[in-house]
């Protein structure tokens, strides 16, 4: 059973470009979470999704950031018009339905904005 | 300050010694989890302890939870150089809920 997969692992963008980060949850998992980690800090929750639904987006910046988890395919975290402050590691986690909240994390995407 | 704060922020020990780190939180929780993160890598789940549990073991790991003090501790016994990593506690308020992480304890185990 493959773990949570994220791609790309590293992404470099110039200011003003768009960044698309993809996450494929573990097989059988229908809950996806996105977290952001700044250097030397802990992870900060961004958004929680189930298939075709955003359950909790309380950690998402109000502008430029969006997330989706379509019926088919990976979850996408999209950052429009990136700024230097968006440089961080973005982690996706997944968990199965009807189970205590053990979340399995992917390797992360390290976004660098030049 | 945020839910889930680890103490100490950094810890340096010799191989074979025990490493103890603590986590405090502010609001009621459903579960508390500990994760390990090697430099530049993703998080590895270590152990989950429910709010109605007081102690849990997994290999060389021992986790305690004191809900009256809103604190947890992680003990790594007989540490190895490979245990060098950052350790994070994370809390959630309900199943299926977001995790709130602390700032982490950076552990260095010297051979």
């Amino acid at each position: 059973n493959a773990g949570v997969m994220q791609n790309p692992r590293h992404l470099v963008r110039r200011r003003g470009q768009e960044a698309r980060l993809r996450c494929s949850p573990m097989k059988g998992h229908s809950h996806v979470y996105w977290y952001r980690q700044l250097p030397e800090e802990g992870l900060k929750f961004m958004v929680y999704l189930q298939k075709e639904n955003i359950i909790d987006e309380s950690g998402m910046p109000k502008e430029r950031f969006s997330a989706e988890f379509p019926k088919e395919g990976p979850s996408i975290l999209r950052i429009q018009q990136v700024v230097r402050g968006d440089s961080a590691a973005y982690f996706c986690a997944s968990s199965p339905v009807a189970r205590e909240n053990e979340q399995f994390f992917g390797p992360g995407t390290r976004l660098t904005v030049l | 300050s945020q839910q889930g704060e680890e103490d100490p922020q950094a810890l340096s020990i010799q191989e074979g010694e025990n490493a103890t780190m603590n986590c405090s939180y502010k609001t009621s929780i459903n579960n508390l989890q500990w994760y390990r993160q090697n430099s530049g890598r993703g998080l590895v789940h270590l152990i989950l302890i429910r709010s109605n549990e007081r102690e849990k073991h997994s290999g060389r790991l021992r986790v305690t939870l004191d809900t009256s003090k809103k604190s947890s501790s992680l003990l790594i016994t007989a540490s190895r150089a490979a245990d060098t990593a950052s350790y994070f506690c994370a809390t959630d308020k309900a199943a299926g809920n977001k995790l709130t992480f602390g700032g982490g304890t950076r552990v260095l185990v010297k051979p």
Side-chain angles (χ1 to χ4, degrees):
Chain A
N1 187 9
V4 177
M5 297 172 67
Q6 290 187 248
N7 66 83
R9 294 291 306 277
H10 299 274
L11 182 61
V12 179
R13 286 286 178 267
R14 296 190 181 283
R15 281 179 295 170
Q17 292 184 320
E18 178 179 288
R20 279 186 180 237
L21 288 64
R22 287 176 288 277
C23 169
S24 296
M26 288 179 70
K27 187 177 180 180
H29 288 194
S30 60
H31 300 238
V32 166
Y33 308 79
W34 285 93
Y35 296 85
R36 177 165 62 178
Q37 184 181 34
L38 296 173
E40 305 300 319
E41 293 188 11
L43 279 70
K44 298 288 195 295
F45 168 78
M46 298 181 75
V47 62
Y48 164 34
L49 309 104
Q50 294 179 24
K51 288 281 188 183
E52 301 183 283
N53 280 306
I54 296 175
I55 306 302
D56 180 354
E57 56 181 347
S58 59
M60 287 280 270
K62 295 285 184 267
E63 297 178 347
R64 303 187 297 107
F65 284 72
S66 62
E68 62 176 7
F69 188 18
K71 188 176 180 181
E72 301 291 338
S75 176
I76 306 285
L77 178 67
R78 182 181 177 207
I79 311 172
Q80 296 178 290
Q81 299 174 335
V82 296
V83 300
R84 289 222 173 103
D86 297 332
S87 294
Y90 292 82
F91 290 95
C92 167
S94 71
S95 67
V97 175
R99 178 152 174 199
E100 61 189 13
N101 199 30
E102 182 176 339
Q103 296 182 16
F104 297 83
F105 280 79
T109 293
R110 276 150 188 84
L111 172 66
T112 301
V113 179
L114 301 177
Chain B
S1 56
Q2 59 183 329
Q3 178 91 329
E5 294 191 7
E6 287 89 342
D7 163 55
Q9 290 188 332
L11 183 59
S12 180
I13 57 174
Q14 292 294 137
E15 205 165 25
E17 294 180 339
N18 295 342
T20 301
M21 59 210 86
N22 304 294
C23 167
S24 60
Y25 56 92
K26 294 186 180 299
T27 62
S28 61
I29 63 169
N30 183 49
N31 300 310
L32 186 144
Q33 304 180 56
W34 285 92
Y35 287 84
R36 183 185 74 224
Q37 184 181 36
N38 291 87
S39 181
R41 307 290 290 275
L43 275 75
V44 174
H45 185 266
L46 296 177
I47 200 163
L48 179 150
I49 187 165
R50 297 187 186 90
S51 58
N52 62 355
E53 296 177 314
R54 291 297 165 260
E55 188 171 314
K56 211 162 181 179
H57 297 254
S58 176
R60 293 183 296 112
L61 305 179
R62 173 176 169 255
V63 169
T64 63
L65 178 64
D66 187 335
T67 52
S68 67
K69 294 181 179 177
K70 292 188 169 59
S71 68
S72 172
S73 69
L74 171 66
L75 167 67
I76 306 172
T77 60
S79 63
R80 305 166 182 168
D83 294 329
T84 294
S86 291
Y87 292 82
F88 295 92
C89 71
T91 58
D92 69 76
K93 293 184 180 180
N97 206 271
K98 64 187 180 187
L99 294 178
T100 301
F101 284 82
T105 293
R106 279 157 278 286
V107 175
L108 171 63
V109 181
K110 293 180 279 188

